[in-house]
Amino acid sequence: MSIEELESIAQAMVAPGKGIIAIDESTSTIKKRFDSVKIENTEENRRAYREMLLTAPKLGEHISGAILYDETLRQSTKAGVPFTKVMMDNGILPGIKVDKGPHPLAGFPGEVVTEGLDGLRERLAEYAKLGAKFAKWRAVINIADDAPSGTCIEANCHALARYAALCQEAGIVPMVEPEVLMDGNHDIDVCYDVTEATLRSLFGALYEQNVMLEGTILKASMVISGKDCPEQASVDEVAEATVRCLKATVPASLPGIVFLSGGQTDEQSTAHLNAMNQMGPHPWPLSFSYGRAMQSAALKYWAKDLVKNFAEAQKIVVSRARENGLAALGQWTKAKAA
Ligand code: 13P
């Protein structure tokens, strides 16, 4: 695949007013989400849940792509249509999570490094055949008294860059996700410093590994107060600090940046994205790739009756997509959400 094809996929992922839905929870992560609403974590329930989300009518008006887990990429609707076909028919690009999750970083207690590079070339070749157009790899950076170390940041960014180069070789757009966690009592300035150091390291590593930025998407965490910080930054402060940090670190040749929700409430995640876009224009489109902030309301409703509430739960997820699509244009208001 040519760089032009990678570029056009990347641009489609961040088309105006559109964003990504992240439904790539591993079997153990979806168990936590299902447990919280008392749904049994069986393969059929996972399939039915992802069918509810992916076949929601008009989802493609606001959603350009969905990140799937390995199992989901291979599944079909109850009527036997592969999810990848349903998605492409509705203008939703199939994406695939390819990392093998964070593991303890030897020598650095409390810190983690994401694994999954072994055999990745072969896995990507198979995913491309199955219809994946983009991939995701998540690195986790934890803020604590003595963390993150420079070693942790470098090890994670090196792996992200190796993954990104392998994706492009396979004709798949890499979404690179260095998530600075919200956990902790640190203030927004500490989050700024850690995010800045992480993004500097990431773009250095991408350059070293010959990754073409024109065919890459950044999935970023917002610059935000730690969850337990007594002083919580306002919506405008978060938006301003996040945009400032991205402008200081992310080359303008990148086609787009999408955010994770990371434990923010639905409303916060939408309000922050909207405020950032109202401060534009920016060098790149700023959109969303939310997991929990796209799904939690729909999951909660669907859980009450998996059959009867199917269609209504779909309306809820489409409504979240619409709100976040408006926020990606800086046109969201609380009134419009109602
Ligand atoms: P959240 O929006 O729930 O943080 O999930 C996004 C994601 O894909 C994290 O890797």
Side-chain angles (χ1 to χ4, degrees), residues 22 24 136 138 177 219 260-262 289-292:
D24 58 329
K136 183 192 101 170
R138 171 175 175 257
E177 180 185 12
K219 177 159 174 167
L260 57 96
S261 58
S289 174
Y290 296 153
R292 283 162 286 181

Side-chain angles (χ1 to χ4, degrees), residues 22-25 33 67 97 99 136 138 175 177 179 219 259-264 289-295:
I23 57 167
D24 58 329
E25 299 85 1
R33 309 277 185 264
I67 317 172
K97 182 230 290 291
D99 66 69
K136 183 192 101 170
R138 171 175 175 257
M175 177 186 272
E177 180 185 12
E179 176 173 0
K219 177 159 174 167
F259 294 98
L260 57 96
S261 58
Q264 297 181 40
S289 174
Y290 296 153
R292 283 162 286 181
M294 275 293 304
Q295 298 177 58

Side-chain angles (χ1 to χ4, degrees), residues 25-35 41 46 69:
E25 299 85 1
S26 62
T27 307
S28 56
T29 302
I30 197 73
K31 180 177 185 320
K32 285 188 223 158
R33 309 277 185 264
F34 277 6
D35 280 352
N41 188 23
R46 293 193 294 273
Y69 185 58

Side-chain angles (χ1 to χ4, degrees), residues 22-94:
I23 57 167
D24 58 329
E25 299 85 1
S26 62
T27 307
S28 56
T29 302
I30 197 73
K31 180 177 185 320
K32 285 188 223 158
R33 309 277 185 264
F34 277 6
D35 280 352
S36 73
V37 290
K38 303 202 166 51
I39 296 178
E40 202 189 336
N41 188 23
T42 61
E43 180 174 353
E44 174 50 22
N45 281 345
R46 293 193 294 273
R47 194 207 58 74
Y49 177 57
R50 269 72 183 246
E51 173 167 353
M52 184 276 287
L53 297 171
L54 292 171
T55 63
K58 301 198 179 160
L59 188 68
E61 286 181 7
H62 318 282
I63 294 293
S64 56
I67 317 172
L68 311 179
Y69 185 58
D70 180 280
E71 175 184 273
T72 319
L73 188 71
R74 303 168 193 278
Q75 285 174 327
S76 302
T77 63
K78 203 164 187 179
V81 186
F83 283 156
T84 48
K85 176 164 170 31
V86 176
M87 293 168 74
M88 290 303 276
D89 288 350
N90 289 307
I92 300 174
L93 296 165

Side-chain angles (χ1 to χ4, degrees), residues 199-261:
L199 291 176
R200 275 196 201 292
S201 172
L202 174 62
F203 284 95
L206 292 172
Y207 176 76
E208 293 294 331
Q209 299 295 330
N210 275 344
V211 174
M212 295 170 287
L213 293 188
E214 294 79 359
T216 303
I217 294 288
L218 171 66
K219 177 159 174 167
S221 43
M222 295 182 198
V223 175
I224 195 165
S225 319
K227 252 187 248 166
D228 303 322
C229 179
E231 206 181 306
Q232 291 290 311
S234 68
V235 169
D236 284 347
E237 284 166 340
V238 170
E240 184 277 327
T242 304
V243 168
R244 185 158 44 89
C245 190
L246 293 171
K247 282 188 177 162
T249 54
V250 182
S253 53
L254 200 83
I257 300 172
V258 292
F259 294 98
L260 57 96
S261 58

